[in-house]
Amino acid sequence: MKMVVRVLIAFMVPVFSFSQGKIGVIVNKDIATAIQPKIQQYVADLAAIEKVAVWLNNSDFNALSSASALRDSLRHHYINGNLTGVVFVGDLPITYYELREDVHGIYSFFPCDVYFMDLNGVWLDTATNGTWGVTGYFDQHVGNRTAEIWMSRIIGSNTPALGNELTVLNNYFDRLHLRMTGQDDLPRKMCIFGSDVEFPTMESWINDPLLGYKPDEMVVYRRSTPAMTDSQQNWIKVLQEGVEYSLVFEHSYEYGHSMNPFFSHHDYLSMTPQSNSRFYYLVAACLVSRYTVPNSLGLLYAMGHQGLLAIGSTKESGIGGGREVFHKLLGQNHSFGAAHKEWHNQIVLDTTVPEHIQEYMLKACYGFVIMGAGNLKLNKYNVITGSDPEPGKQQVNVFPNPFSSSTSISYTLAEPGNVVISVYNLQGVLVSTLVNANQLAGEHVVEFSGSDLPSGLYHVRLQSANRIETGKMMVAK
């Protein structure tokens, strides 16, 4: 992977404390200065929208750093700071796991990010050079193997077909900001695509009620349906038209899928999306997310065109099970990272199944990784909170929301009286008092200008004689 000149610098970014835990953002110190504005925006979005504390480290680690030192740092923040997940930005340490015999009965080794998810287990390297294995690759994972945190990677250096590292990262964080602030044009549509002939478990993911998609919001391409088959042309059509969430069940390798005919990374790079939609991918396929291989398809899905996130395997053998765990959490608006962690703990590490199944799951699934920001959620981000008003009570609505310069705040009073409407920032500092007057019962509208405010989340507060209501609004520039 490409290395750049080392720059030692630490940026002062406020750490916000919320009950939902802490998300870590670890940035390769060699590129920290160059992408500082994008990282600061991402940290601000995490704090304002996800309501989590953010631990930012952009001065201690790069690709040559010790993986164990990085894991120790994660463990420290898990024990002392309620760390729930971490995003690696740029080239950072990679650990490999090796199998004397994988599910196909042959030797294999692969990048294994589970090492950074399980912070209490013991990772051993017992096979040395000259035996069946390689010194420096883990070959045993024992003790408490439960994953304590989720992790994901945002990598810009290993997709040269998309441009240089900084270009790829800057473009990605721009898309991420649009998604997290609700400004993107993401269609409510899900696609399931693959060979149901070779992967019969694919059928269990179709018409899955856990995500809340309606029948007309789902499209299925399968090998057994000639009119809607899993062809290269149909997959390109899906990618061009845009869907919210795509699941792919195909025999694959680093650079492509065995569709009919074959779909390669060249096909992906040569197509032009026809929409501004963002994409999430769950690729239950071999090798497609081996991010150490330049221009691997999983990396391109996450970092290229309109991509945001891809979950796939760095090794041979994908997996088609665990839908009831993974989709249940996504449907409850948990993040992809949290859903992946629980899938790993409940399905991959299931000790209630026979030992040969446990062994198979380790061999098949320890290569699953997340490319992109693991904090992302499937459902469209909505920065307005609150429930339906009680009959006879006042209610507050903000439209448009998010907004860049001005917005309208409308409210209905159940009875006449003094009303105060105020706007506060996330630190609780009063930004503006819009109304402080006696008003009649009924509907009212007040304009609010945010042209002089920085981007971020703000609280609007309505107080009357017997009721206080608060809502949220987003300034997005």
Side-chain angles (χ1 to χ4, degrees):
M1 295 186 186
K2 184 176 68 176
M3 298 297 297
V4 297
V5 178
R6 178 180 300 178
V7 179
L8 291 174
I9 185 167
F11 306 125
M12 298 303 295
V13 176
V15 176
F16 301 82
S17 296
F18 301 99
S19 59
Q20 287 86 340
K22 179 192 294 182
I23 290 178
V25 180
I26 314 297
V27 184
N28 181 322
K29 60 186 178 181
D30 298 337
I31 61 171
T33 302
I35 61 172
Q36 174 188 2
K38 304 299 183 183
I39 295 299
Q40 288 180 324
Q41 181 64 69
Y42 178 43
V43 169
D45 289 343
L46 283 171
I49 298 166
E50 303 288 4
K51 293 295 192 302
V52 293
V54 181
W55 162 47
L56 172 65
N57 186 313
N58 51 23
S59 60
D60 293 336
F61 301 102
N62 64 9
L64 301 179
S65 299
S66 162
S68 62
L70 178 50
R71 183 170 179 255
D72 287 343
S73 184
L74 298 176
R75 183 188 299 110
H76 170 80
H77 282 271
Y78 169 73
I79 295 173
N80 299 291
N82 195 23
L83 185 70
T84 59
V86 64
V87 180
F88 288 5
V89 180
D91 295 340
L92 287 165
I94 299 170
T95 57
Y96 287 86
Y97 199 88
E98 61 182 349
L99 296 167
R100 188 168 189 169
E101 292 184 1
D102 67 5
V103 294
H104 302 294
I106 59 175
Y107 171 83
S108 69
F109 70 96
F110 51 92
C112 182
D113 284 351
V114 178
Y115 176 80
F116 296 107
M117 297 168 60
D118 163 41
L119 303 177
N120 293 323
V122 178
W123 294 78
L124 301 174
D125 176 17
T126 63
T128 58
N129 293 333
T131 62
W132 66 267
V134 177
T135 300
Y137 292 177
F138 294 115
D139 51 66
Q140 290 188 37
H141 183 200
V142 298
N144 181 359
R145 299 186 297 153
T146 301
E148 282 75 37
I149 65 172
W150 57 261
M151 73 89 64
S152 67
R153 293 180 185 263
I154 300 173
I155 301 173
S157 65
N158 218 22
T159 51
L162 299 176
N164 66 57
E165 178 179 20
L166 298 183
T167 297
V168 173
L169 291 176
N170 283 325
N171 289 342
Y172 178 84
F173 280 109
D174 285 343
R175 298 195 303 273
L176 182 61
H177 175 63
L178 290 175
R179 173 59 172 168
M180 292 183 65
T181 54
Q183 300 178 72
D184 61 0
D185 181 25
L186 194 66
R188 178 68 177 168
K189 191 174 182 180
M190 175 181 176
C191 173
I192 300 179
F193 196 104
S195 175
D196 56 331
V197 176
E198 297 170 290
F199 301 100
T201 56
M202 169 183 164
E203 291 296 315
S204 67
W205 298 74
I206 298 174
N207 297 321
D208 181 1
L210 295 175
L211 297 181
Y213 287 98
K214 300 176 183 177
D216 61 352
E217 295 172 337
M218 298 184 66
V219 58
V220 180
Y221 293 91
R222 40 156 104 74
R223 189 73 52 89
S224 63
T225 308
M228 293 282 285
T229 189
D230 61 326
S231 66
Q232 176 203 66
Q233 292 81 3
N234 282 335
W235 181 231
I236 291 175
K237 177 183 177 182
V238 169
L239 295 175
Q240 289 180 323
E241 293 181 352
V243 297
E244 184 177 41
Y245 181 37
S246 295
L247 288 82
V248 181
F249 298 83
E250 296 281 0
H251 283 300
S252 306
Y253 79 120
E254 294 94 328
Y255 297 121
H257 304 303
S258 295
M259 298 172 180
N260 184 25
F262 193 80
F263 177 87
S264 76
H265 63 307
H266 295 299
D267 297 314
Y268 177 81
L269 291 166
S270 62
M271 56 161 258
T272 302
Q274 299 171 356
S275 72
N276 292 321
S277 303
R278 317 297 169 216
F279 288 90
Y280 298 134
Y281 304 89
L282 174 60
V283 188
C286 304
L287 293 167
V288 73
S289 289
R290 197 172 181 104
Y291 55 83
T292 53
V293 175
N295 295 322
S296 61
L297 202 50
L299 259 183
L300 293 178
Y301 281 155
M303 304 304 297
H305 289 324
Q306 305 296 344
L308 279 173
L309 180 142
I311 300 179
S313 182
T314 63
K315 64 180 297 295
E316 290 190 355
S317 74
I319 191 67
R323 170 192 56 81
E324 65 282 357
V325 173
F326 190 78
H327 275 181
K328 180 179 180 180
L329 289 171
L330 285 184
Q332 294 173 346
N333 212 30
H334 290 277
S335 69
F336 277 90
H340 176 248
K341 185 194 79 170
E342 289 307 312
W343 169 81
H344 177 84
N345 287 339
Q346 295 185 39
I347 303 300
V348 180
L349 299 183
D350 186 1
T351 58
T352 65
V353 298
E355 287 189 9
H356 72 280
I357 299 297
Q358 296 181 42
E359 181 180 1
Y360 174 86
M361 294 301 288
L362 183 153
K363 292 180 177 181
C365 301
Y366 260 43
F368 268 82
V369 296
I370 301 178
M371 296 291 101
N375 64 278
L376 284 167
K377 300 172 182 177
L378 178 60
N379 295 332
K380 185 173 179 63
Y381 282 73
N382 185 358
V383 297
I384 308 172
T385 62
S387 55
D388 293 335
E390 301 173 42
K393 301 297 184 180
Q394 69 245 22
Q395 57 177 306
V396 180
N397 294 291
V398 180
F399 185 83
N401 192 10
F403 62 97
S404 60
S405 57
S406 64
T407 191
S408 298
I409 301 172
S410 60
Y411 54 99
T412 303
L413 299 180
E415 55 188 37
N418 189 73
V419 176
V420 179
I421 297 181
S422 308
V423 176
Y424 296 84
N425 64 20
L426 284 178
Q427 287 72 45
V429 177
L430 178 65
V431 172
S432 178
T433 299
L434 305 179
V435 175
N436 187 354
N438 287 310
Q439 293 187 332
L440 298 176
E443 297 180 356
H444 302 266
V445 178
V446 61
E447 298 297 316
F448 173 68
S449 174
S451 58
D452 296 329
L453 296 176
S455 296
L457 195 65
Y458 294 84
H459 294 281
V460 56
R461 184 176 187 267
L462 183 153
Q463 181 176 0
S464 63
N466 58 4
R467 187 172 174 85
I468 296 176
E469 275 195 19
T470 61
K472 298 175 184 177
M473 55 186 183
M474 172 67 69
V475 177
K477 300 180 179 180

